[in-house]
Amino acid sequence: MKTTEIKSILQQLTSVPALSGYESRLHETLNALWQPYLDQTSISRVGSYHALRYGKAAEPRPRLMLTGHMDTIGLMVNRIQDGFLRLTAIGGIDARLLPGQMVTVHGKREIPAMIVQPPPFLLPKEFQTNPVPLQHLWADCGLSADQARQQIQIGDLVTFDQAFLELNNDIVASPGLDNRASLAALTVCIQELTKHQPLWDSWFVASVQEEETQVGALSSAFQIQPHLAIVIDVTFANSPGSPPHKTYPLGKGITLGWGAAVHPYLYNSFKDLADQLEIPYKLEPMPRRSGTDADSLQTVAQGIPTMVIGIPLRYMHSAVEMVSLKDIQRVARLMVEFIDRLDVDYLEKIKWDETN
Amino acid sequence: MKELIQTLVETNSPSGYENAVRQLIRQKIEPWVNEIKVDALGNLLGIRKNPNAPKIMLVAHMDEIGIMATHVDSKGFIRFIPLGGVYPHHCVGGRVRFLNGVAGVIGVEKLSNPQELPSLEKMFIDVGAVDAKSCPIKIGDVAAFERPFLDLGKRWVSKAMDDRIGVAVLIETLQSLHQSAFEIYAVFSVQEEVGVRGATTAAFGIAPDLGLAIDVTATGDTPKGNKMEVELGKGPAIKIRDAGMLADPRIIKWMIQTAEKASLPYQREILEFGGTDGRAVQLSRSGVPTGVLSIPCRYVHAPSEMVDRDDVLNAVRLLTELLNNPPNLEFSA
């Protein structure tokens, strides 16, 4: 698929804010993007989106689960103080990036607001010259104390109000690219897969609450009981001064996770396939936690051999996250080719003794 | 209900050592359930049968925070470690009661800097022994904090409101409930304070259709206290989130609509620290739509936890209403 088409998919996906715990707003978008290409779709008991493409092998067929989380980070109204809104974080928010940020408060109506940092003389001494933590910031929507109480309640969601931005060289920026970039890759994979006749059942999952409890990945893996799982998530792209061993070039290829969360046989399969297809990749060391749904999913039930694929992203957990459409295209292609090549006896080949 | 609460909070049962309180609760619920079970971890389950109805797991933890003896020195002084979240600043000068009935007081080493807050390692328990031999406490013995129930009229105080008040609300609801839209699994869980362990296995065993934890939440209504909106006496709180979970929005909506329909007071709760058994239920198996009914409580994990009588009574009323009005579990866009 061309990057222009991928851009339009990504625009659709990022146009709907769906913060952790409140992902059902995205169900309709996924119905539009996924349903026409798959055999069945359903919603899990906690709101994850499940979509199944039947394989062609005789039953009982092995099951592959491909998952990207559908939730995004954001904020929630915590207290209402004389019309000003105090906020709490949904997911890991970098409070240093918040002052000056335009947001939408999802109250009884959608209310525009901005996040404001109080002037230094109103702050505790230690924050007068240092970054101001979230509890000292507020959102101002220009409402009086009474109006705010009427229109806004504790627990109302607050989302970034930033437009999707197309830059040069297939690079785009938007809030929520963590992890809508991966959902875009899954969408491309689903649509491209119609040209193929894979043997395995493919379960595509958009999981809830990765940024919080990972309940989506846990529960979907328990329900589907896949034989293999592939987790797609974003990873840190490099920028001037960033450590080269912890970041990956933007638009220059994908990452293949390597570490405790990743089954080495699966890693080798993906590495060999990427070499063969000439898809550029870097090994991403994840010695402890991967920081993705894989950490929860891998140990569900009797355990699931898991692979983590990364899309490099700059400015993680900010309102101006940045990815390359080319990297999304690469991840999608690698997944399609992997699914297409899965033999019915692949599971028998996964031997710990033959990996290193 | 006050007598029930007093009996519950004065029964010492720290995490992992819930036998005494389990026996007490068993007695109290026996007339009101069709079946009683104790599972492998020691959770007490009271089942109110209703075969074709959706299964709801109601869970209140029956353990409380406490301490465990780790060393007895030659003079009979006892060193200890916490069971659950024990704050050093609440311990100094406090008293404990071991499960074998022995009482003790908490002493502190001489501090080089009296301004500093001593850690638990600098504290010891003195049970009045003259040497190691005469000390009636052995390594591994467990104690709860010693503090009688205090009735301040509208406000009730105890060292174990967390979560015996949830236990009391659940027992009282079972007693007053004539019928229900659910098959009810009333779970009195163990080991919540050491990592929601009991609720984890109970939820797996029950595989409920939905879950509701009943536990205390902190308040923001004390001088220079927590920055949160929940206050004592403004009604039971409906959890929106805490550090352990985001309550299911469908369950939040159900609870709020039910409270409003029944004209019961309620508060919307965001707690920026702590967690409850609700997390364990939500994360169980294929996921469980789960919420939390919170009883506002000042000084949580101090030996004088304070709740409001009307909040407690309204929690029973709200829970009773909820059990008669099942939720719509459709997702909304």
Side-chain angles (χ1 to χ4, degrees):
Chain A
M1 193 181 286
K2 288 184 187 142
T3 52
T4 49
E5 292 169 74
I6 298 174
K7 187 189 75 191
S8 125
I9 288 169
L10 194 52
Q11 254 171 323
Q12 279 184 69
L13 283 166
T14 52
S15 66
V16 184
L19 306 192
S20 308
Y22 297 82
E23 297 89 347
S24 57
R25 296 183 62 176
L26 199 66
H27 290 165
E28 211 174 298
T29 313
L30 291 171
N31 277 339
L33 288 171
W34 289 13
Q35 219 167 34
Y37 306 94
L38 292 156
D39 295 314
Q40 70 175 54
T41 61
S42 58
I43 306 296
S44 86
R45 302 183 67 201
V46 290
S48 296
Y49 194 94
H50 292 182
L52 169 62
R53 162 79 192 266
Y54 288 119
K56 295 291 170 219
E59 292 189 70
R61 280 184 295 278
R63 295 178 294 278
L64 171 68
M65 173 171 160
L66 301 104
T67 182
H69 69 86
M70 70 200 285
D71 59 315
T72 54
I73 57 162
L75 298 150
M76 184 182 259
V77 176
N78 191 14
R79 286 182 296 141
I80 305 171
Q81 223 180 350
D82 307 324
F84 299 93
L85 311 180
R86 296 290 191 175
L87 305 166
T88 188
I90 302 286
I93 291 270
D94 186 345
R96 295 172 308 166
L97 303 172
L98 290 178
Q101 185 66 54
M102 307 304 294
V103 292
T104 302
V105 181
H106 300 259
K108 294 207 169 129
R109 60 186 176 91
E110 294 201 344
I111 301 163
M114 55 197 151
I115 298 180
V116 181
Q117 175 167 314
F121 66 91
L122 289 179
L123 284 167
K125 243 196 177 103
E126 62 266 36
F127 303 127
Q128 290 179 356
T129 51
N130 290 321
V132 179
L134 184 57
Q135 64 263 36
H136 292 288
L137 305 177
W138 62 69
D140 189 340
C141 34
L143 296 176
S144 70
D146 286 348
Q147 286 170 328
R149 284 278 173 196
Q150 277 160 17
Q151 297 177 31
I152 300 166
Q153 289 184 299
I154 305 305
D156 283 349
L157 301 176
V158 178
T159 58
F160 294 125
D161 182 16
Q162 283 264 16
F164 185 93
L165 187 62
E166 194 181 354
L167 301 157
N168 299 304
N169 301 320
D170 285 323
I171 287 169
V172 296
S174 165
L177 286 176
D178 173 6
N179 187 32
R180 300 297 160 77
S182 302
L183 290 191
L186 284 170
T187 307
V188 177
C189 171
I190 286 167
Q191 298 187 6
E192 296 279 342
L193 207 59
T194 54
K195 299 174 197 155
H196 301 265
Q197 304 288 322
L199 296 170
W200 283 44
D201 280 350
S202 303
W203 285 86
F204 296 90
V205 173
S207 63
V208 296
Q209 297 197 39
E210 187 270 350
E211 305 287 2
E212 287 277 338
T213 58
Q214 302 191 342
V215 62
L218 276 172
S219 53
S220 292
F222 188 90
Q223 187 181 336
I224 294 166
Q225 304 264 330
H227 298 92
L228 296 178
I230 304 171
V231 174
I232 324 291
D233 209 333
V234 294
T235 188
F236 294 94
N238 67 4
S239 51
S242 64
H245 62 290
K246 288 182 182 166
T247 55
Y248 307 91
L250 187 72
K252 299 274 164 41
I254 63 175
T255 70
L256 300 178
W258 173 258
V262 170
H263 195 294
Y265 190 91
L266 263 177
Y267 171 84
N268 286 334
S269 293
F270 274 92
K271 179 184 171 297
D272 293 346
L273 185 58
D275 284 335
Q276 195 185 328
L277 299 168
E278 297 182 348
I279 294 174
Y281 63 88
K282 291 255 195 277
L283 179 150
E284 182 177 354
M286 303 168 166
R288 295 165 74 97
R289 291 176 60 80
S290 70
T292 73
D293 272 341
D295 297 325
S296 299
L297 188 156
Q298 182 191 34
T299 54
V300 165
Q302 299 155 78
I304 302 164
T306 299
M307 176 66 195
V308 180
I309 300 179
I311 301 171
L313 175 144
R314 277 193 198 135
Y315 320 122
M316 185 85 74
H317 285 200
S318 78
V320 290
E321 293 179 330
M322 186 182 280
V323 296
S324 158
L325 298 169
K326 282 187 197 136
D327 291 334
I328 294 175
Q329 192 179 38
R330 289 172 176 132
V331 167
R333 179 159 174 246
L334 186 62
M335 284 191 295
V336 169
E337 297 294 333
F338 179 79
I339 297 168
D340 192 39
R341 280 156 216 242
L342 269 177
D343 288 328
V344 276
D345 63 349
Y346 184 85
L347 286 173
E348 288 154 35
K349 292 185 210 156
I350 296 192
K351 298 248 165 44
W352 273 102
D353 297 343
E354 290 167 23
T355 58
N356 50 15
Chain B
M1 191 173 184
K2 196 179 86 181
E3 289 71 30
L4 172 67
I5 295 169
Q6 176 156 8
T7 323
L8 283 167
V9 297
E10 291 185 349
T11 303
N12 291 339
S13 288
S15 308
Y17 299 83
E18 296 91 351
N19 282 354
V21 75
R22 180 171 43 245
Q23 277 169 26
L24 173 66
I25 298 168
R26 187 184 190 118
Q27 247 174 45
K28 300 283 180 197
I29 63 167
E30 224 145 27
W32 313 105
V33 295
N34 304 110
E35 192 183 339
I36 289 185
K37 283 187 197 169
V38 176
D39 76 5
L41 262 76
N43 296 303
L44 177 70
L45 280 64
I47 304 163
R48 186 77 81 88
K49 295 219 165 126
N50 191 358
N52 295 316
K55 282 200 269 186
I56 189 168
M57 171 168 164
L58 305 171
V59 56
H61 69 88
M62 60 182 173
D63 61 320
E64 65 187 295
I65 57 169
I67 62 97
M68 181 183 273
T70 52
H71 181 255
V72 182
D73 73 13
S74 59
K75 292 190 168 163
F77 293 108
I78 299 152
R79 297 287 178 166
F80 62 96
I81 51 171
L83 286 177
V86 173
Y87 297 112
H89 55 284
H90 295 315
C91 288
V92 181
R95 296 178 183 188
V96 297
R97 175 81 60 179
F98 284 90
L99 297 188
N100 62 6
V102 172
V105 298
I106 300 176
V108 191
E109 296 170 10
K110 182 173 166 50
L111 302 171
S112 51
N113 173 9
Q115 304 297 319
E116 87 179 291
L117 177 66
S119 64
L120 294 180
E121 286 81 52
K122 289 191 184 297
M123 298 181 199
F124 49 84
I125 294 167
D126 185 341
V127 294
V130 291
D131 54 31
K133 219 171 167 188
S134 68
C135 181
I137 298 306
K138 303 180 301 298
I139 292 168
D141 283 354
V142 163
F145 290 92
E146 171 84 346
R147 210 61 78 99
F149 177 77
L150 178 63
D151 178 2
L152 295 176
K154 191 169 156 45
R155 306 276 155 92
W156 293 330
V157 182
S158 157
K159 47 92 184 176
M161 283 302 177
D162 177 5
D163 183 28
R164 301 290 159 69
I165 200 66
V167 169
V169 165
L170 189 44
I171 294 174
E172 194 76 9
T173 304
L174 288 173
Q175 286 180 9
S176 62
L177 192 72
H178 300 295
Q179 57 188 37
S180 166
F182 299 97
E183 177 153 87
I184 298 170
Y185 288 75
V187 177
F188 302 91
S189 63
V190 297
Q191 302 193 29
E192 191 270 354
E193 300 290 1
V194 291
V196 296
R197 292 150 183 254
T200 303
T201 59
F204 190 94
I206 293 165
D209 295 300
L210 65 164
L212 198 64
I214 303 136
D215 207 336
V216 297
T217 189
T219 68
D221 61 350
T222 52
K224 295 192 176 176
N226 301 314
K227 291 200 156 114
M228 63 187 288
E229 289 223 348
V230 175
E231 294 177 47
L232 228 55
K234 292 275 175 75
I238 293 170
K239 191 181 295 290
I240 294 169
R241 77 156 308 163
D242 59 30
M245 78 185 294
L246 291 153
D248 193 299
R250 296 166 295 174
I251 302 293
I252 297 171
K253 195 172 164 192
W254 170 51
M255 295 174 77
I256 287 176
Q257 286 178 345
T258 306
E260 285 180 350
K261 213 174 99 195
S263 302
L264 291 170
Y266 72 90
Q267 312 183 63
R268 298 165 73 93
E269 173 206 342
I270 293 180
L271 180 67
E272 293 197 287
F273 49 90
T276 73
D277 277 342
R279 173 193 167 92
V281 182
Q282 186 181 48
L283 268 56
S284 187
R285 289 181 177 256
S286 303
V288 180
T290 303
V292 183
L293 175 60
S294 299
I295 293 111
C297 180
R298 287 182 188 159
Y299 325 121
V300 175
H301 285 206
S304 299
E305 300 173 327
M306 181 188 287
V307 298
D308 179 275
R309 184 189 58 208
D310 295 320
D311 289 346
V312 175
L313 299 177
N314 282 320
V316 174
R317 290 183 192 117
L318 179 52
L319 185 54
T320 307
E321 289 293 327
L322 289 167
L323 293 173
N324 279 297
N325 296 280
N328 174 9
L329 291 179
E330 293 291 306
F331 282 101
S332 58

